[in-house]
Amino acid sequence: MRISPFERFANYAILIIVALVVLTPVATILVTAFGPASASDARVGMWHPENFQAAWVEGRFGQYMATSVLVAVIVVTLTVVLSSLSGYAFGTMRFPGSTPLFYLFLLGIMVPAEVIVVPLFYDLRDIGLVDTIWAVALPQVAQSVAFGTYWMRTYFRGVNRSMIEAAKLDGASSRRILWSVLLPMGRPALTTMTVLVFMWTWNEFLIPLVMSPSGQFRTAPLGLAFFQGQYTQGTALLAAGAILVALPVVLLYIFLQRHFIKGMLEGAVKE
């Protein structure tokens, strides 16, 4: 089917307009971050990369981002392992109660964190986990495993059954089939899930706020909110802090974008 020159022009025009709408706020934040933080700085010049160093030190983003990285590593690692195991069970095996149990997992996607965060706080306080890294990480693991189970189940149900049967005929156990056959094939689906879980974990605000009342395990987005309360007028430092917080997610997506897009196109439409 041939595309007329007018249709091609209209497609590119729409894409350019959408790109401008999306990129204009990003460009505004970048310009503001490198702009003068005060009137005295404006007299020196309009280019001030030292805003990032000032925001990093004054906002204590080094400590907050280290906490965010630790939480993200715990959440992503546990989610990938547990979701692969549960998704494999639900996607390739049939056992009594599998359907009701799978829908129980889906409750973790449908129930928002705002509904359970208060009783969860008291439960974790009773067992002495409040104000620890586990109080911040484990609730997010539970939420992410609910999505990850659904995601990996969809992938495993789309795998050609003949490959699984051939591996069984060769004497491979269920564990061998999972780790040596299915997971290497499912790298795009795993990568997509990793990026999504990392992004959600990195941007999580409510759980770190509630589960670490002393602020000892404050994450980067939470630290940015407190930094905003200190610098309501310093838009340059706020913009620099916002870029510092968003940069890890952007870099991860740029690095894994090919696998991410492939997983979104393949892994999400197999069911």
Side-chain angles (χ1 to χ4, degrees):
M1 182 177 179
R2 298 186 60 183
I3 300 177
S4 66
F6 175 77
E7 290 177 326
R8 185 178 293 107
F9 172 79
N11 290 336
Y12 281 110
I14 294 173
L15 290 176
I16 291 173
I17 292 173
V18 172
L20 289 175
V21 171
V22 172
L23 294 178
T24 297
V26 178
T28 302
I29 294 176
L30 286 172
V31 172
T32 303
F34 285 100
S38 63
S40 59
D41 292 338
R43 289 193 292 268
V44 177
M46 299 302 295
W47 180 256
H48 296 275
E50 67 274 8
N51 290 341
F52 291 90
Q53 181 180 2
W56 181 272
V57 174
E58 297 180 24
R60 300 171 59 189
F61 284 109
Q63 173 188 343
Y64 300 148
M65 293 184 74
T67 302
S68 288
V69 169
L70 179 59
V71 172
V73 169
I74 294 174
V75 174
V76 171
T77 302
L78 292 178
T79 298
V80 170
V81 173
L82 296 176
S83 298
S84 299
L85 295 174
S86 58
Y88 177 62
F90 286 119
T92 63
M93 304 176 185
R94 295 295 177 266
F95 51 90
S98 60
T99 300
L101 187 58
F102 175 69
Y103 287 125
L104 182 63
F105 269 85
L106 292 185
L107 286 177
I109 303 176
M110 295 182 285
V111 177
E114 292 80 2
V115 175
I116 62 173
V117 68
V118 174
L120 184 61
F121 171 82
Y122 288 107
D123 289 339
L124 294 179
R125 189 188 65 176
D126 291 340
I127 60 177
L129 287 182
V130 168
D131 252 338
T132 66
I133 195 68
W134 298 109
V136 178
L138 290 181
Q140 299 184 70
V141 172
Q143 290 179 317
S144 299
V145 166
F147 165 79
T149 298
Y150 170 77
W151 182 267
M152 295 308 297
R153 173 182 178 268
T154 302
Y155 160 69
F156 286 124
R157 293 193 68 176
V159 173
N160 193 334
R161 299 290 302 181
S162 61
M163 300 187 63
I164 301 177
E165 297 299 331
K168 289 181 178 179
L169 290 176
D170 290 337
S173 62
S174 296
R175 182 171 59 182
R176 185 73 172 178
I177 294 173
L178 173 63
W179 297 110
S180 300
V181 179
L182 298 181
L183 287 184
M185 292 172 48
R187 187 176 301 173
L190 287 171
T191 303
T192 302
M193 182 177 65
T194 299
V195 173
L196 290 174
V197 171
F198 178 85
M199 179 182 65
W200 295 335
T201 304
W202 188 270
N203 293 330
E204 179 61 40
F205 182 88
L206 179 63
I207 291 178
L209 176 64
V210 175
M211 298 304 172
S212 181
S214 68
Q216 182 179 358
F217 295 98
R218 189 175 292 170
T219 56
L222 188 57
L224 180 62
F226 281 87
F227 186 60
Q228 182 181 5
Q230 298 174 5
Y231 291 90
T232 55
Q233 301 298 326
T235 56
L237 294 183
L238 286 177
I243 292 175
L244 291 174
V245 173
L247 192 60
V249 177
V250 175
L251 292 178
L252 180 67
Y253 175 77
I254 292 175
F255 182 71
L256 299 175
Q257 62 175 325
R258 181 177 300 178
H259 297 290
F260 178 81
I261 295 173
K262 185 177 181 181
M264 290 293 290
L265 293 177
E266 293 183 0
V269 297
K270 296 245 178 156
E271 183 127 23

